[in-house]
Amino acid sequence: MIPRIFIIAGSDSSGGAGIQADIKTVTMLGGYAATAVTAVTVQNTLVVSGVHPIPAEIVVAQMRAVIDDIGVDAVKIGMLGDAALIAAVAEVLRGVRVPIVLDPVMVAKGGASLLADDAVEALVRHLLPLARIVTPNTPELAALTGTHVEDEGDAVLAAQELLGMGARAVLAKGGHLGGDEVADWLITGNLQTRFASARIETRHTHGTGCTLASAIAVGLGRGEPLADAVAAARAYVLGAIANAPGFGAGHGPLGHGWMLHQ
């Protein structure tokens, strides 16, 4: 079975994150990637210098065109932009009974804001309840819950708050926390699982969140249990970080094709 992964996200001109990273990930892991582009960004490894939002009606039209013809086994949601687009995307997805992976993209690696202020509440209200899993990093956890997240304990508590706000499962990513180890916590209503790995010292981490969420979507699209999909996705991302090509002067892209060279 080739899982059909439908990606709703923004374009990254540098190819390291966004839809470009999503397509590479899904393809490398044996899935079929289809897309609805939500924004065109002007960016490289150093800066996001422009964002051109795609009108909501065009995003919705892309979604319906793919869903009605090709079909979908899992959905990955990335950059959405504003409250109106979030509500429009949610309206379409309410009729789609497949796992949804929500990556709440708020800030680019270089610090540029990618989500309007009014959109956070809309994200929580419209999309959080639809998602099989939401994958925030610690700054996103803090923004979504209004809490301070400074260590693993804070991250777990914030993830539990997200469950109370309607999330079914949360992968609290710990890459922004310090230390020699990176720990991600998978929190569900009855389970807390810690995934840990040695930190790879590198500046080439552009697109890690997009890549992880898309890899999880591939696993869920195949019917894998959630914890197994998360574990496999983490392994893929770690390999991609370790085999980054070294491009760019800033936060460089991952080596998405690393499995071809093993």
Side-chain angles (χ1 to χ4, degrees):
M1 169 195 174
I2 300 175
R4 300 161 296 178
I5 311 302
F6 189 38
I7 301 152
I8 306 164
S11 168
D12 171 7
S13 55
S14 77
I19 274 183
Q20 285 84 346
D22 297 327
I23 293 172
K24 293 172 189 177
T25 300
V26 170
T27 302
M28 283 304 306
L29 295 177
Y32 178 84
T35 64
V37 181
T38 61
V40 175
T41 69
V42 180
Q43 64 176 295
N44 54 28
T45 66
L46 294 168
V47 66
V48 178
S49 55
V51 177
H52 176 71
I54 304 299
E57 62 269 24
I58 299 299
V59 176
V60 167
Q62 292 176 80
M63 293 175 67
R64 295 197 186 282
V66 172
I67 292 168
D68 292 347
D69 177 35
I70 292 173
V72 57
D73 296 303
V75 174
K76 184 264 179 171
I77 302 174
M79 177 184 176
L80 290 177
D82 61 29
L85 179 57
I86 289 169
V89 167
E91 182 63 29
V92 177
L93 291 180
R94 285 190 187 97
V96 179
R97 304 298 181 190
V98 300
I100 296 172
V101 180
L102 173 60
D103 183 20
V105 179
M106 295 182 176
V107 180
K109 269 288 188 296
S113 177
L114 299 177
L115 189 67
D117 292 340
D118 68 341
V120 176
E121 180 185 349
L123 192 78
V124 170
R125 183 170 72 252
H126 294 298
L127 287 178
L128 211 60
L130 296 180
R132 178 67 185 89
I133 183 172
V134 58
T135 61
N137 58 32
T138 48
E140 291 160 351
L141 259 180
L144 287 168
T145 61
T147 61
H148 293 289
V149 181
E150 297 179 356
D151 55 31
E152 285 187 51
D154 291 343
V156 171
L157 289 174
Q160 290 170 334
E161 282 202 36
L162 271 188
L163 292 184
M165 295 162 65
R168 295 166 59 192
V170 180
L171 182 65
K173 301 180 296 190
H176 284 73
L177 301 175
D180 296 331
E181 192 176 60
V182 174
D184 303 330
W185 283 87
L186 176 60
I187 310 294
T188 65
N190 55 11
L191 186 68
Q192 296 184 6
T193 305
R194 184 177 187 265
F195 299 88
S197 53
R199 185 180 297 274
I200 301 171
E201 292 299 333
T202 177
R203 62 181 171 84
H204 299 290
T205 56
H206 186 54
T208 50
C210 306
T211 299
L212 181 67
S214 288
I216 293 171
V218 173
L220 295 179
R222 281 204 183 94
E224 296 174 9
L226 181 58
D228 292 351
V230 169
R234 289 185 86 258
Y236 173 71
V237 171
L238 286 170
I241 294 172
N243 292 276
F247 298 152
H251 298 286
L254 309 185
H256 287 95
W258 68 272
M259 297 167 69
L260 295 173
H261 311 298
Q262 299 303 298

